[in-house]
Amino acid sequence: MKFRSVFDVIGPVMIGPSSSHTAGAARIGKMARQLYGRQPKWAKIHLYGSFAKTYQGHGTDVAIVGGLLDFDTFDERIRQAFELAEEAGMAYEFIEEEGASEHPNTARIKIGDDESDFELVGISIGGGKAEITEINGFELRLSGENPAILVLHNDRHGAIASVTSVLADNKINIGHMEVSRRDKGKEAMMIIETDQRIPDEIMERLEGCDHILSVISITE
């Protein structure tokens, strides 16, 4: 068996008793915060499977709230996430779901403020790792292990090529890419994981590409 990094062997540096229930949960919360782009005013966190049964004892609840406050898995402030969320003006609610999910450690996070809301589904896959499997109704896979961009675009001919050509022109290598759409010819979403962080000036070029509605950067 080959390991890509020391974290595959000994796990991540983290706060909490469980890599899957604490570190992985914090990563899901942090990715939600990064994708939303700002501090939400409220959060509704639906927990499934093992998450729903053990979230209080294993620190899943405080970890997700810490992630929504943009804390890393090793940030000591996670322990005080509830108090800090109150200070930040972020209300939160946990809902224990009884329905089945494809993965035992699943969270559906809905966040928002007075202007907009956002929703994702994340799973904690062990060793402090997490994957996002759905964003605003688009099914996809985002690991969060590498820099990535999320591109919302109209489902039109040339939209994907316009984005990938900008990346190629700037020698940015794509490690993983997925495209998801709800209906033919309507809105679609690209997830592109890259080998390096995409500079701000290239992000601006991507935002000006044909049929592109928005571009969000996700760092490691």
Side-chain angles (χ1 to χ4, degrees):
M1 181 180 292
K2 294 183 179 180
F3 298 100
R4 290 188 296 174
S5 74
V6 66
F7 299 109
D8 293 331
V9 182
I10 64 173
V13 178
M14 65 179 188
I15 303 298
S18 168
S19 62
S20 60
H21 284 223
T22 310
R27 287 188 186 279
I28 294 171
K30 186 174 174 65
M31 282 194 277
R33 164 65 183 266
Q34 285 189 317
L35 289 166
Y36 189 56
R38 58 186 181 273
Q39 180 68 61
K41 286 189 175 181
W42 55 265
K44 292 186 178 182
I45 302 152
H46 299 255
L47 301 175
Y48 299 81
S50 180
F51 267 3
K53 295 176 182 177
T54 64
Y55 71 97
Q56 292 174 316
H58 284 185
T60 304
D61 49 2
V62 73
I64 291 178
V65 171
L68 290 172
L69 293 172
D70 209 24
F71 299 161
D72 287 311
T73 57
F74 52 81
D75 196 318
E76 293 283 349
R77 292 176 296 173
I78 284 180
R79 301 184 192 278
Q80 289 80 43
F82 290 165
E83 293 83 357
L84 295 172
E86 184 176 354
E87 291 177 10
M90 185 183 78
Y92 57 87
E93 177 186 2
F94 288 92
I95 299 99
E96 301 172 25
E97 298 287 359
E98 296 182 358
S101 59
E102 292 187 4
H103 192 280
N105 298 331
T106 298
R108 179 180 293 274
I109 300 177
K110 302 177 182 179
I111 55 178
D113 57 20
D114 297 335
E115 297 181 7
S116 65
D117 54 39
F118 176 81
E119 180 177 341
L120 63 69
V121 176
I123 59 174
S124 178
I125 58 176
K129 297 179 180 180
E131 288 185 358
I132 303 305
T133 60
E134 182 182 315
I135 296 176
N136 283 346
F138 292 99
E139 295 183 358
L140 43 81
R141 184 180 69 84
L142 173 65
S143 71
E145 293 183 19
N146 301 299
I149 54 172
L150 182 153
V151 184
L152 184 66
H153 60 98
N154 290 316
D155 183 26
R156 297 288 188 276
H157 174 76
I160 296 172
S162 68
V163 170
T164 56
S165 63
V166 169
L167 298 180
D169 289 345
N170 289 275
K171 297 181 170 54
I172 293 175
N173 191 50
I174 297 174
H176 174 80
M177 178 175 178
E178 289 191 20
V179 181
S180 177
R181 66 182 182 184
R182 295 194 191 98
D183 295 298
K184 182 178 179 180
K186 298 193 177 177
E187 286 187 351
M189 183 176 290
M190 283 182 257
I191 287 286
I192 303 175
E193 295 188 357
T194 58
D195 291 343
Q196 67 263 47
R197 182 184 176 278
I198 299 177
D200 292 341
E201 58 270 22
I202 300 177
M203 290 289 292
E204 291 178 3
R205 285 190 59 191
L206 292 172
E207 290 171 352
C209 289
D210 293 340
H211 310 301
I212 302 306
L213 301 176
S214 66
V215 185
I216 300 172
S217 175
I218 308 160
T219 58
E220 292 181 90

